[in-house]
Structure formats: structure tokens, C-alpha cells
Amino acid sequence: MSFIRSTEAVVHEIHGARFTSYVSPATGSRDLAAWRTEVPAGTAGLAHVISHEEAFYVLSGRLRFTIDGEAAELGAGDAAVAPAGSALAVANPTDEPAHMWVTTRVGLSAELADGSTLTPPWAN
């Protein structure tokens, strides 16, 4: 069993958001990856197609999720699930930062609109 202290979490910044990795192979997980994401006010996330299912839980603020063309704005306490192979975009259309918790399987990758593939280090 592994215990991950907040001081040990690894922070990654990409596409204007901050990803704080807690659960990954680097911290002892074989199957799951989980992280906290801070999405600054006015951030429009890049659309991408995900390789593995992802579960999102909004911790604070409001976020707009678009999953396979269906959009919803969610607030603190709300959740969303994006199936493997779905097109996903997350945006913060408000003037306040928002935070979410994300969980997926280890090995997640994302194909961006330009055809490039992102393999996020916080999920591998």
C-alpha cells in the first residue's frame, strides 16, 4: 500500500492547466491513475480523443465538458464519465478558477485534432 502526501505530488503544466499527479505507477499504482487539475478562468481546453475511460469530479468552480458533441456545464459535486474512444474537451468559461479530480486507467493517451498523440506523464 502506498501513501502519497501532498508535498510528494508531481505537478505538470500543459495547455494552460495544472495537473497534480497523486496516483500513478511512480507512486505504486499498477492499474489506476488519478490527479487534480486546476483550470484557470477563461481556459478553453483542446479537443482530443481519449484511449481509456475517464471519470471527472468537479471539486470547485464550474467547468464545461463536451463529450462526443454533447455539452454540459458542471459545478462542485457534479461528475462526468467520458468513454474510451470519445472526443473530449473541458473548458472553464467563468471568471474564476475551477478544480477537478480525474481518474482513469494507467496508459491513457490522447489524440489531438492535428493528429499528434499526447501521452500524459501523470497517467503513465
mmCIF file of all heavy atoms in Angstrom, residues 66-121:
data_model
loop_
_atom_site.group_PDB
_atom_site.id
_atom_site.type_symbol
_atom_site.label_atom_id
_atom_site.label_comp_id
_atom_site.label_asym_id
_atom_site.label_seq_id
_atom_site.Cartn_x
_atom_site.Cartn_y
_atom_site.Cartn_z
ATOM 1 N N THR A 66 -17.465 18.727 -22.892
ATOM 2 C CA THR A 66 -18.066 18.319 -24.160
ATOM 3 C C THR A 66 -17.536 16.925 -24.464
ATOM 4 O O THR A 66 -16.326 16.730 -24.603
ATOM 5 C CB THR A 66 -17.714 19.292 -25.298
ATOM 6 O OG1 THR A 66 -18.113 20.621 -24.904
ATOM 7 C CG2 THR A 66 -18.424 18.901 -26.589
ATOM 8 N N ILE A 67 -18.456 15.952 -24.516
ATOM 9 C CA ILE A 67 -18.101 14.557 -24.744
ATOM 10 C C ILE A 67 -18.887 14.089 -25.963
ATOM 11 O O ILE A 67 -20.123 14.059 -25.937
ATOM 12 C CB ILE A 67 -18.427 13.689 -23.515
ATOM 13 C CG1 ILE A 67 -17.683 14.219 -22.285
ATOM 14 C CG2 ILE A 67 -18.089 12.221 -23.788
ATOM 15 C CD1 ILE A 67 -18.116 13.596 -20.970
ATOM 16 N N ASP A 68 -18.163 13.765 -27.029
ATOM 17 C CA ASP A 68 -18.786 13.345 -28.291
ATOM 18 C C ASP A 68 -19.898 14.297 -28.732
ATOM 19 O O ASP A 68 -20.980 13.878 -29.149
ATOM 20 C CB ASP A 68 -19.308 11.910 -28.191
ATOM 21 C CG ASP A 68 -18.206 10.879 -28.361
ATOM 22 O OD1 ASP A 68 -17.134 11.244 -28.906
ATOM 23 O OD2 ASP A 68 -18.410 9.726 -27.960
ATOM 24 N N GLY A 69 -19.625 15.594 -28.634
ATOM 25 C CA GLY A 69 -20.547 16.612 -29.110
ATOM 26 C C GLY A 69 -21.633 17.019 -28.139
ATOM 27 O O GLY A 69 -22.335 17.999 -28.363
ATOM 28 N N GLU A 70 -21.812 16.294 -27.036
ATOM 29 C CA GLU A 70 -22.813 16.656 -26.030
ATOM 30 C C GLU A 70 -22.123 17.461 -24.937
ATOM 31 O O GLU A 70 -21.122 17.014 -24.367
ATOM 32 C CB GLU A 70 -23.447 15.406 -25.431
ATOM 33 C CG GLU A 70 -24.548 15.726 -24.445
ATOM 34 C CD GLU A 70 -25.217 14.480 -23.882
ATOM 35 O OE1 GLU A 70 -25.032 13.379 -24.446
ATOM 36 O OE2 GLU A 70 -25.919 14.620 -22.879
ATOM 37 N N ALA A 71 -22.658 18.649 -24.627
ATOM 38 C CA ALA A 71 -22.019 19.545 -23.665
ATOM 39 C C ALA A 71 -22.883 19.746 -22.436
ATOM 40 O O ALA A 71 -24.116 19.732 -22.505
ATOM 41 C CB ALA A 71 -21.728 20.888 -24.323
ATOM 42 N N ALA A 72 -22.210 19.926 -21.301
ATOM 43 C CA ALA A 72 -22.889 20.247 -20.044
ATOM 44 C C ALA A 72 -21.938 21.063 -19.184
ATOM 45 O O ALA A 72 -20.729 20.806 -19.160
ATOM 46 C CB ALA A 72 -23.309 18.980 -19.319
ATOM 47 N N GLU A 73 -22.483 22.032 -18.481
ATOM 48 C CA GLU A 73 -21.705 22.795 -17.517
ATOM 49 C C GLU A 73 -21.959 22.185 -16.150
ATOM 50 O O GLU A 73 -23.117 22.041 -15.731
ATOM 51 C CB GLU A 73 -22.096 24.275 -17.536
ATOM 52 C CG GLU A 73 -21.128 25.126 -16.747
ATOM 53 C CD GLU A 73 -21.323 26.604 -16.976
ATOM 54 O OE1 GLU A 73 -21.343 27.039 -18.140
ATOM 55 O OE2 GLU A 73 -21.429 27.315 -15.957
ATOM 56 N N LEU A 74 -20.882 21.796 -15.465
ATOM 57 C CA LEU A 74 -20.996 21.135 -14.174
ATOM 58 C C LEU A 74 -20.331 21.963 -13.095
ATOM 59 O O LEU A 74 -19.332 22.648 -13.346
ATOM 60 C CB LEU A 74 -20.343 19.751 -14.230
ATOM 61 C CG LEU A 74 -20.865 18.783 -15.295
ATOM 62 C CD1 LEU A 74 -20.090 17.472 -15.242
ATOM 63 C CD2 LEU A 74 -22.357 18.530 -15.110
ATOM 64 N N GLY A 75 -20.885 21.885 -11.891
ATOM 65 C CA GLY A 75 -20.336 22.608 -10.755
ATOM 66 C C GLY A 75 -19.848 21.657 -9.685
ATOM 67 O O GLY A 75 -19.916 20.428 -9.830
ATOM 68 N N ALA A 76 -19.370 22.238 -8.591
ATOM 69 C CA ALA A 76 -18.823 21.449 -7.486
ATOM 70 C C ALA A 76 -19.801 20.354 -7.063
ATOM 71 O O ALA A 76 -20.992 20.605 -6.891
ATOM 72 C CB ALA A 76 -18.509 22.359 -6.307
ATOM 73 N N GLY A 77 -19.275 19.143 -6.943
ATOM 74 C CA GLY A 77 -20.092 17.997 -6.561
ATOM 75 C C GLY A 77 -20.664 17.223 -7.722
ATOM 76 O O GLY A 77 -21.199 16.132 -7.543
ATOM 77 N N ASP A 78 -20.549 17.755 -8.944
ATOM 78 C CA ASP A 78 -21.042 17.055 -10.137
ATOM 79 C C ASP A 78 -19.926 16.199 -10.725
ATOM 80 O O ASP A 78 -18.738 16.452 -10.496
ATOM 81 C CB ASP A 78 -21.506 18.059 -11.207
ATOM 82 C CG ASP A 78 -22.714 18.866 -10.775
ATOM 83 O OD1 ASP A 78 -23.477 18.404 -9.895
ATOM 84 O OD2 ASP A 78 -22.893 19.973 -11.322
ATOM 85 N N ALA A 79 -20.320 15.196 -11.517
ATOM 86 C CA ALA A 79 -19.352 14.286 -12.119
ATOM 87 C C ALA A 79 -19.705 14.019 -13.570
ATOM 88 O O ALA A 79 -20.846 14.227 -13.996
ATOM 89 C CB ALA A 79 -19.307 12.971 -11.334
ATOM 90 N N ALA A 80 -18.720 13.538 -14.317
ATOM 91 C CA ALA A 80 -18.916 13.157 -15.720
ATOM 92 C C ALA A 80 -18.045 11.942 -16.009
ATOM 93 O O ALA A 80 -17.013 11.747 -15.368
ATOM 94 C CB ALA A 80 -18.531 14.308 -16.649
ATOM 95 N N VAL A 81 -18.483 11.147 -16.978
ATOM 96 C CA VAL A 81 -17.700 9.998 -17.433
ATOM 97 C C VAL A 81 -17.571 10.095 -18.950
ATOM 98 O O VAL A 81 -18.577 10.243 -19.650
ATOM 99 C CB VAL A 81 -18.372 8.661 -17.054
ATOM 100 C CG1 VAL A 81 -17.578 7.489 -17.610
ATOM 101 C CG2 VAL A 81 -18.515 8.540 -15.546
ATOM 102 N N ALA A 82 -16.332 10.018 -19.428
ATOM 103 C CA ALA A 82 -16.068 10.024 -20.868
ATOM 104 C C ALA A 82 -15.598 8.628 -21.254
ATOM 105 O O ALA A 82 -14.588 8.144 -20.741
ATOM 106 C CB ALA A 82 -15.005 11.061 -21.213
ATOM 107 N N PRO A 83 -16.336 7.943 -22.137
ATOM 108 C CA PRO A 83 -15.943 6.590 -22.531
ATOM 109 C C PRO A 83 -14.659 6.570 -23.362
ATOM 110 O O PRO A 83 -14.316 7.549 -24.025
ATOM 111 C CB PRO A 83 -17.120 6.114 -23.389
ATOM 112 C CG PRO A 83 -18.192 7.121 -23.254
ATOM 113 C CD PRO A 83 -17.578 8.377 -22.757
ATOM 114 N N ALA A 84 -13.979 5.444 -23.328
ATOM 115 C CA ALA A 84 -12.794 5.254 -24.169
ATOM 116 C C ALA A 84 -13.177 5.496 -25.620
ATOM 117 O O ALA A 84 -14.260 5.103 -26.067
ATOM 118 C CB ALA A 84 -12.256 3.838 -24.004
ATOM 119 N N GLY A 85 -12.332 6.192 -26.360
ATOM 120 C CA GLY A 85 -12.592 6.482 -27.761
ATOM 121 C C GLY A 85 -13.447 7.702 -28.008
ATOM 122 O O GLY A 85 -13.702 8.064 -29.161
ATOM 123 N N SER A 86 -13.876 8.363 -26.950
ATOM 124 C CA SER A 86 -14.734 9.541 -27.139
ATOM 125 C C SER A 86 -13.893 10.793 -27.360
ATOM 126 O O SER A 86 -12.746 10.888 -26.944
ATOM 127 C CB SER A 86 -15.671 9.735 -25.941
ATOM 128 O OG SER A 86 -14.948 9.998 -24.754
ATOM 129 N N ALA A 87 -14.517 11.768 -28.038
ATOM 130 C CA ALA A 87 -13.915 13.087 -28.222
ATOM 131 C C ALA A 87 -14.263 13.914 -26.999
ATOM 132 O O ALA A 87 -15.432 13.986 -26.599
ATOM 133 C CB ALA A 87 -14.452 13.741 -29.476
ATOM 134 N N LEU A 88 -13.273 14.533 -26.392
ATOM 135 C CA LEU A 88 -13.441 15.218 -25.118
ATOM 136 C C LEU A 88 -12.817 16.600 -25.161
ATOM 137 O O LEU A 88 -11.729 16.784 -25.711
ATOM 138 C CB LEU A 88 -12.771 14.386 -24.014
ATOM 139 C CG LEU A 88 -12.597 15.025 -22.643
ATOM 140 C CD1 LEU A 88 -13.949 15.216 -21.965
ATOM 141 C CD2 LEU A 88 -11.682 14.168 -21.778
ATOM 142 N N ALA A 89 -13.503 17.567 -24.561
ATOM 143 C CA ALA A 89 -12.937 18.894 -24.334
ATOM 144 C C ALA A 89 -13.471 19.396 -22.999
ATOM 145 O O ALA A 89 -14.639 19.179 -22.668
ATOM 146 C CB ALA A 89 -13.312 19.865 -25.448
ATOM 147 N N VAL A 90 -12.614 20.047 -22.229
ATOM 148 C CA VAL A 90 -13.006 20.623 -20.942
ATOM 149 C C VAL A 90 -12.609 22.091 -20.973
ATOM 150 O O VAL A 90 -11.472 22.424 -21.324
ATOM 151 C CB VAL A 90 -12.311 19.911 -19.760
ATOM 152 C CG1 VAL A 90 -12.744 20.536 -18.441
ATOM 153 C CG2 VAL A 90 -12.612 18.417 -19.777
ATOM 154 N N ALA A 91 -13.538 22.951 -20.604
ATOM 155 C CA ALA A 91 -13.280 24.391 -20.614
ATOM 156 C C ALA A 91 -13.790 25.018 -19.327
ATOM 157 O O ALA A 91 -14.708 24.494 -18.688
ATOM 158 C CB ALA A 91 -13.972 25.039 -21.815
ATOM 159 N N ASN A 92 -13.214 26.142 -18.976
ATOM 160 C CA ASN A 92 -13.695 26.931 -17.849
ATOM 161 C C ASN A 92 -14.126 28.277 -18.411
ATOM 162 O O ASN A 92 -13.312 29.178 -18.593
ATOM 163 C CB ASN A 92 -12.601 27.111 -16.803
ATOM 164 C CG ASN A 92 -13.073 27.949 -15.632
ATOM 165 O OD1 ASN A 92 -14.160 28.515 -15.651
ATOM 166 N ND2 ASN A 92 -12.247 28.045 -14.603
ATOM 167 N N PRO A 93 -15.433 28.424 -18.706
ATOM 168 C CA PRO A 93 -15.913 29.663 -19.312
ATOM 169 C C PRO A 93 -16.146 30.790 -18.304
ATOM 170 O O PRO A 93 -16.570 31.875 -18.684
ATOM 171 C CB PRO A 93 -17.232 29.234 -19.959
ATOM 172 C CG PRO A 93 -17.734 28.145 -19.048
ATOM 173 C CD PRO A 93 -16.494 27.426 -18.575
ATOM 174 N N THR A 94 -15.850 30.552 -17.027
ATOM 175 C CA THR A 94 -16.142 31.542 -15.991
ATOM 176 C C THR A 94 -14.933 32.437 -15.733
ATOM 177 O O THR A 94 -13.866 32.252 -16.307
ATOM 178 C CB THR A 94 -16.550 30.838 -14.679
ATOM 179 O OG1 THR A 94 -15.383 30.276 -14.059
ATOM 180 C CG2 THR A 94 -17.594 29.761 -14.921
ATOM 181 N N ASP A 95 -15.114 33.383 -14.811
ATOM 182 C CA ASP A 95 -14.015 34.277 -14.442
ATOM 183 C C ASP A 95 -13.353 33.852 -13.125
ATOM 184 O O ASP A 95 -12.649 34.626 -12.497
ATOM 185 C CB ASP A 95 -14.494 35.731 -14.385
ATOM 186 C CG ASP A 95 -15.630 35.945 -13.395
ATOM 187 O OD1 ASP A 95 -16.061 34.975 -12.752
ATOM 188 O OD2 ASP A 95 -16.084 37.094 -13.264
ATOM 189 N N GLU A 96 -13.581 32.610 -12.711
ATOM 190 C CA GLU A 96 -12.977 32.045 -11.503
ATOM 191 C C GLU A 96 -12.273 30.731 -11.856
ATOM 192 O O GLU A 96 -12.750 29.994 -12.719
ATOM 193 C CB GLU A 96 -14.058 31.750 -10.448
ATOM 194 C CG GLU A 96 -14.818 32.963 -9.958
ATOM 195 C CD GLU A 96 -13.969 33.883 -9.095
ATOM 196 O OE1 GLU A 96 -13.061 33.389 -8.415
ATOM 197 O OE2 GLU A 96 -14.209 35.097 -9.137
ATOM 198 N N PRO A 97 -11.183 30.390 -11.184
ATOM 199 C CA PRO A 97 -10.552 29.094 -11.443
ATOM 200 C C PRO A 97 -11.464 27.954 -11.003
ATOM 201 O O PRO A 97 -12.345 28.142 -10.158
ATOM 202 C CB PRO A 97 -9.271 29.140 -10.606
ATOM 203 C CG PRO A 97 -9.489 30.191 -9.591
ATOM 204 C CD PRO A 97 -10.489 31.155 -10.157
ATOM 205 N N ALA A 98 -11.251 26.789 -11.576
ATOM 206 C CA ALA A 98 -12.018 25.594 -11.219
ATOM 207 C C ALA A 98 -11.046 24.443 -10.992
ATOM 208 O O ALA A 98 -9.937 24.440 -11.530
ATOM 209 C CB ALA A 98 -13.015 25.246 -12.317
ATOM 210 N N HIS A 99 -11.474 23.477 -10.183
ATOM 211 C CA HIS A 99 -10.641 22.315 -9.880
ATOM 212 C C HIS A 99 -11.464 21.048 -10.056
ATOM 213 O O HIS A 99 -12.657 21.032 -9.730
ATOM 214 C CB HIS A 99 -10.129 22.387 -8.434
ATOM 215 C CG HIS A 99 -9.263 23.567 -8.179
ATOM 216 N ND1 HIS A 99 -9.772 24.785 -7.809
ATOM 217 C CD2 HIS A 99 -7.927 23.725 -8.266
ATOM 218 C CE1 HIS A 99 -8.782 25.642 -7.670
ATOM 219 N NE2 HIS A 99 -7.644 25.017 -7.941
ATOM 220 N N MET A 100 -10.802 20.010 -10.564
ATOM 221 C CA MET A 100 -11.484 18.723 -10.705
ATOM 222 C C MET A 100 -10.523 17.600 -10.344
ATOM 223 O O MET A 100 -9.297 17.767 -10.397
ATOM 224 C CB MET A 100 -12.022 18.527 -12.117
ATOM 225 C CG MET A 100 -10.984 18.446 -13.202
ATOM 226 S SD MET A 100 -11.735 18.199 -14.824
ATOM 227 C CE MET A 100 -10.370 18.622 -15.892
ATOM 228 N N TRP A 101 -11.098 16.447 -9.994
ATOM 229 C CA TRP A 101 -10.355 15.220 -9.743
ATOM 230 C C TRP A 101 -10.646 14.297 -10.906
ATOM 231 O O TRP A 101 -11.799 14.151 -11.313
ATOM 232 C CB TRP A 101 -10.814 14.596 -8.429
ATOM 233 C CG TRP A 101 -10.045 13.367 -8.057
ATOM 234 C CD1 TRP A 101 -10.431 12.073 -8.255
ATOM 235 C CD2 TRP A 101 -8.766 13.315 -7.444
ATOM 236 N NE1 TRP A 101 -9.462 11.220 -7.785
ATOM 237 C CE2 TRP A 101 -8.419 11.962 -7.280
ATOM 238 C CE3 TRP A 101 -7.856 14.301 -7.013
ATOM 239 C CZ2 TRP A 101 -7.231 11.545 -6.719
ATOM 240 C CZ3 TRP A 101 -6.666 13.889 -6.436
ATOM 241 C CH2 TRP A 101 -6.361 12.525 -6.297
ATOM 242 N N VAL A 102 -9.609 13.683 -11.469
ATOM 243 C CA VAL A 102 -9.768 12.814 -12.635
ATOM 244 C C VAL A 102 -9.159 11.447 -12.318
ATOM 245 O O VAL A 102 -8.061 11.373 -11.753
ATOM 246 C CB VAL A 102 -9.074 13.413 -13.876
ATOM 247 C CG1 VAL A 102 -9.350 12.556 -15.106
ATOM 248 C CG2 VAL A 102 -9.516 14.853 -14.108
ATOM 249 N N THR A 103 -9.871 10.402 -12.703
ATOM 250 C CA THR A 103 -9.374 9.035 -12.524
ATOM 251 C C THR A 103 -9.525 8.272 -13.838
ATOM 252 O O THR A 103 -10.534 8.424 -14.534
ATOM 253 C CB THR A 103 -10.163 8.307 -11.416
ATOM 254 O OG1 THR A 103 -10.085 9.063 -10.206
ATOM 255 C CG2 THR A 103 -9.610 6.911 -11.167
ATOM 256 N N THR A 104 -8.514 7.473 -14.161
ATOM 257 C CA THR A 104 -8.526 6.657 -15.369
ATOM 258 C C THR A 104 -7.623 5.450 -15.154
ATOM 259 O O THR A 104 -7.045 5.292 -14.072
ATOM 260 C CB THR A 104 -8.060 7.468 -16.599
ATOM 261 O OG1 THR A 104 -8.296 6.712 -17.781
ATOM 262 C CG2 THR A 104 -6.604 7.847 -16.513
ATOM 263 N N ARG A 105 -7.481 4.627 -16.166
ATOM 264 C CA ARG A 105 -6.528 3.521 -16.135
ATOM 265 C C ARG A 105 -5.152 4.034 -16.537
ATOM 266 O O ARG A 105 -5.027 4.956 -17.356
ATOM 267 C CB ARG A 105 -6.937 2.422 -17.128
ATOM 268 C CG ARG A 105 -8.103 1.596 -16.670
ATOM 269 C CD ARG A 105 -8.389 0.381 -17.552
ATOM 270 N NE ARG A 105 -7.456 0.121 -18.616
ATOM 271 C CZ ARG A 105 -7.787 0.082 -19.914
ATOM 272 N NH1 ARG A 105 -9.025 0.288 -20.291
ATOM 273 N NH2 ARG A 105 -6.880 -0.178 -20.826
ATOM 274 N N VAL A 106 -4.140 3.402 -16.001
ATOM 275 C CA VAL A 106 -2.765 3.694 -16.410
ATOM 276 C C VAL A 106 -2.648 3.439 -17.916
ATOM 277 O O VAL A 106 -3.244 2.501 -18.444
ATOM 278 C CB VAL A 106 -1.780 2.807 -15.620
ATOM 279 C CG1 VAL A 106 -0.397 2.828 -16.233
ATOM 280 C CG2 VAL A 106 -1.732 3.241 -14.167
ATOM 281 N N GLY A 107 -1.903 4.296 -18.601
ATOM 282 C CA GLY A 107 -1.675 4.115 -20.032
ATOM 283 C C GLY A 107 -2.507 5.022 -20.918
ATOM 284 O O GLY A 107 -2.479 4.892 -22.134
ATOM 285 N N LEU A 108 -3.219 5.960 -20.327
ATOM 286 C CA LEU A 108 -4.047 6.895 -21.096
ATOM 287 C C LEU A 108 -3.205 7.635 -22.136
ATOM 288 O O LEU A 108 -2.081 8.059 -21.859
ATOM 289 C CB LEU A 108 -4.687 7.920 -20.156
ATOM 290 C CG LEU A 108 -5.478 9.036 -20.826
ATOM 291 C CD1 LEU A 108 -6.826 8.501 -21.302
ATOM 292 C CD2 LEU A 108 -5.671 10.197 -19.875
ATOM 293 N N SER A 109 -3.776 7.794 -23.319
ATOM 294 C CA SER A 109 -3.194 8.681 -24.326
ATOM 295 C C SER A 109 -4.332 9.479 -24.944
ATOM 296 O O SER A 109 -5.496 9.114 -24.818
ATOM 297 C CB SER A 109 -2.424 7.901 -25.400
ATOM 298 O OG SER A 109 -3.300 7.076 -26.133
ATOM 299 N N ALA A 110 -3.964 10.567 -25.595
ATOM 300 C CA ALA A 110 -4.964 11.442 -26.200
ATOM 301 C C ALA A 110 -4.492 11.845 -27.586
ATOM 302 O O ALA A 110 -3.345 12.275 -27.755
ATOM 303 C CB ALA A 110 -5.168 12.683 -25.341
ATOM 304 N N GLU A 111 -5.371 11.707 -28.557
ATOM 305 C CA GLU A 111 -5.057 12.150 -29.911
ATOM 306 C C GLU A 111 -5.644 13.541 -30.104
ATOM 307 O O GLU A 111 -6.852 13.748 -29.958
ATOM 308 C CB GLU A 111 -5.618 11.189 -30.953
ATOM 309 C CG GLU A 111 -5.223 11.590 -32.361
ATOM 310 C CD GLU A 111 -5.728 10.633 -33.426
ATOM 311 O OE1 GLU A 111 -5.886 9.437 -33.124
ATOM 312 O OE2 GLU A 111 -5.966 11.106 -34.561
ATOM 313 N N LEU A 112 -4.785 14.489 -30.445
ATOM 314 C CA LEU A 112 -5.211 15.871 -30.650
ATOM 315 C C LEU A 112 -5.732 16.059 -32.071
ATOM 316 O O LEU A 112 -5.511 15.211 -32.949
ATOM 317 C CB LEU A 112 -4.049 16.819 -30.367
ATOM 318 C CG LEU A 112 -3.429 16.689 -28.971
ATOM 319 C CD1 LEU A 112 -2.251 17.632 -28.828
ATOM 320 C CD2 LEU A 112 -4.458 16.942 -27.888
ATOM 321 N N ALA A 113 -6.403 17.175 -32.310
ATOM 322 C CA ALA A 113 -7.021 17.449 -33.609
ATOM 323 C C ALA A 113 -6.006 17.455 -34.749
ATOM 324 O O ALA A 113 -6.351 17.112 -35.882
ATOM 325 C CB ALA A 113 -7.769 18.781 -33.555
ATOM 326 N N ASP A 114 -4.754 17.809 -34.455
ATOM 327 C CA ASP A 114 -3.735 17.843 -35.513
ATOM 328 C C ASP A 114 -3.132 16.466 -35.803
ATOM 329 O O ASP A 114 -2.217 16.332 -36.595
ATOM 330 C CB ASP A 114 -2.630 18.840 -35.169
ATOM 331 C CG ASP A 114 -1.800 18.439 -33.952
ATOM 332 O OD1 ASP A 114 -2.023 17.320 -33.380
ATOM 333 O OD2 ASP A 114 -0.920 19.226 -33.552
ATOM 334 N N GLY A 115 -3.651 15.429 -35.119
ATOM 335 C CA GLY A 115 -3.181 14.070 -35.348
ATOM 336 C C GLY A 115 -2.039 13.644 -34.427
ATOM 337 O O GLY A 115 -1.668 12.477 -34.410
ATOM 338 N N SER A 116 -1.509 14.584 -33.660
ATOM 339 C CA SER A 116 -0.443 14.230 -32.720
ATOM 340 C C SER A 116 -1.027 13.499 -31.512
ATOM 341 O O SER A 116 -2.215 13.641 -31.206
ATOM 342 C CB SER A 116 0.342 15.471 -32.278
ATOM 343 O OG SER A 116 -0.504 16.337 -31.553
ATOM 344 N N THR A 117 -0.188 12.736 -30.840
ATOM 345 C CA THR A 117 -0.623 11.989 -29.663
ATOM 346 C C THR A 117 0.088 12.507 -28.437
ATOM 347 O O THR A 117 1.303 12.693 -28.432
ATOM 348 C CB THR A 117 -0.328 10.490 -29.827
ATOM 349 O OG1 THR A 117 -1.045 10.004 -30.974
ATOM 350 C CG2 THR A 117 -0.770 9.693 -28.610
ATOM 351 N N LEU A 118 -0.689 12.751 -27.382
ATOM 352 C CA LEU A 118 -0.158 13.177 -26.103
ATOM 353 C C LEU A 118 -0.269 11.993 -25.151
ATOM 354 O O LEU A 118 -1.340 11.404 -25.015
ATOM 355 C CB LEU A 118 -0.953 14.369 -25.555
ATOM 356 C CG LEU A 118 -0.643 14.811 -24.134
ATOM 357 C CD1 LEU A 118 0.762 15.385 -24.051
ATOM 358 C CD2 LEU A 118 -1.653 15.845 -23.679
ATOM 359 N N THR A 119 0.844 11.630 -24.539
ATOM 360 C CA THR A 119 0.850 10.591 -23.514
ATOM 361 C C THR A 119 1.175 11.301 -22.203
ATOM 362 O O THR A 119 2.340 11.540 -21.895
ATOM 363 C CB THR A 119 1.905 9.517 -23.835
ATOM 364 O OG1 THR A 119 1.626 8.995 -25.130
ATOM 365 C CG2 THR A 119 1.858 8.382 -22.824
ATOM 366 N N PRO A 120 0.149 11.674 -21.439
ATOM 367 C CA PRO A 120 0.396 12.496 -20.254
ATOM 368 C C PRO A 120 1.191 11.739 -19.192
ATOM 369 O O PRO A 120 0.831 10.617 -18.840
ATOM 370 C CB PRO A 120 -1.008 12.841 -19.749
ATOM 371 C CG PRO A 120 -1.920 11.890 -20.408
ATOM 372 C CD PRO A 120 -1.263 11.381 -21.636
ATOM 373 N N PRO A 121 2.265 12.324 -18.703
ATOM 374 C CA PRO A 121 3.101 11.643 -17.710
ATOM 375 C C PRO A 121 2.361 11.374 -16.400
ATOM 376 O O PRO A 121 2.716 10.447 -15.688
ATOM 377 C CB PRO A 121 4.280 12.606 -17.501
ATOM 378 C CG PRO A 121 3.802 13.925 -17.996
ATOM 379 C CD PRO A 121 2.781 13.648 -19.038
#
